[in-house]
Amino acid sequence: MTISLSAADFQPTEMYFLLRDSVVPRPIAWVSTVSPDGVSNLAPFSFFNVVSPSPPMLGFSCGPRGDNHGGAWIPKDTYVNIVATREFVVNIVPEHLMDEMVRTAADLAPGDSEFRDAGLEEAPSTVVRPPRVARAPIAYECRLHDILDVGANRWITGSVEHVHIDESVYVGRRGEQDHRIDLLEHVGNRPLGRLGRAFYVRLREIEARLRRDGPNG
């Protein structure tokens, strides 16, 4: 038996829970920004993915403060900082920093730094002002491309301007391509996946299924 419902049957928060709990696992963008006053900010966003490889772009959805999908729209510091500076860094969350990542989801007062609160070291970026997470295996420095208002959320797209790759995941040349990486070889560097609010998934059972017509590399 199938329960069939119109989208109109859902309140905004009910639809949020449905989408959040069914579209799993999701990658996590650990987004670092900086305020015009120079205060660093760091927050995880799991409505996130690649937008385009050429030109390289990443995108994530930023909801209102407190995930209030039906009431007044109070912006998160991440959104406020990106609007003001037009820059951000997407850090890939490694398994060994799970606890620190969860801590950065805390609702701190505006102006308080999640880096400091979670005991995370900042590393300088190269072409943008926001710092990156020092122990993240991959960090993408981005400049704002566009912000699309979608109901209670803002879809933020950034163009990748510079990339930082930890040497532990850098492979280099493989086949005909340079700058290949391997985030799977070392367990601690494997990216976390997001499930429900307090649930995450670690990459453990990985299977290869080769395509007859390729590519398989």
Side-chain angles (χ1 to χ4, degrees), residues 33-191:
T33 59
V34 67
S35 73
D37 296 331
V39 179
S40 58
N41 180 272
L42 182 64
F45 295 87
S46 66
F47 287 17
F48 156 67
N49 221 308
V50 175
V51 175
S52 167
S54 181
M57 292 193 183
L58 300 172
F60 69 98
S61 182
C62 182
R65 182 179 286 272
D67 289 328
N68 182 11
H69 299 277
W73 200 84
I74 302 175
K76 294 180 178 179
D77 289 347
T78 298
Y79 176 79
V80 172
N81 291 346
I82 290 175
V83 169
T85 67
R86 303 184 65 83
E87 296 178 337
F88 60 95
V89 178
V90 173
N91 304 273
I92 301 302
V93 182
E95 184 176 306
H96 70 89
L97 291 180
M98 175 190 280
D99 291 337
E100 290 85 347
M101 180 272 295
V102 172
R103 189 172 179 87
T104 63
D107 193 13
L108 301 183
D112 289 346
S113 173
E114 287 79 5
F115 278 96
R116 183 172 57 250
D117 184 68
L120 287 163
E121 179 185 355
E122 298 182 12
S125 293
T126 300
V127 299
V128 301
R129 286 185 61 202
R132 55 193 172 87
V133 177
R135 292 188 288 158
I138 308 285
Y140 296 98
E141 297 184 24
C142 299
R143 288 201 170 98
L144 179 63
H145 174 74
D146 191 20
I147 297 179
L148 179 65
D149 289 2
V150 188
N153 284 48
R154 306 293 183 264
W155 179 257
I156 300 172
T157 304
S159 61
V160 176
E161 304 293 333
H162 201 84
V163 184
H164 299 271
I165 305 172
D166 189 271
E167 62 181 0
S168 64
V169 302
Y170 187 75
V171 174
R173 189 165 184 83
R174 177 181 289 171
E176 298 180 355
Q177 286 81 38
D178 290 325
H179 311 306
R180 295 292 299 273
I181 65 168
D182 187 349
L183 285 175
L184 304 181
E185 181 178 1
H186 302 291
V187 171
N189 281 330
R190 292 179 180 176

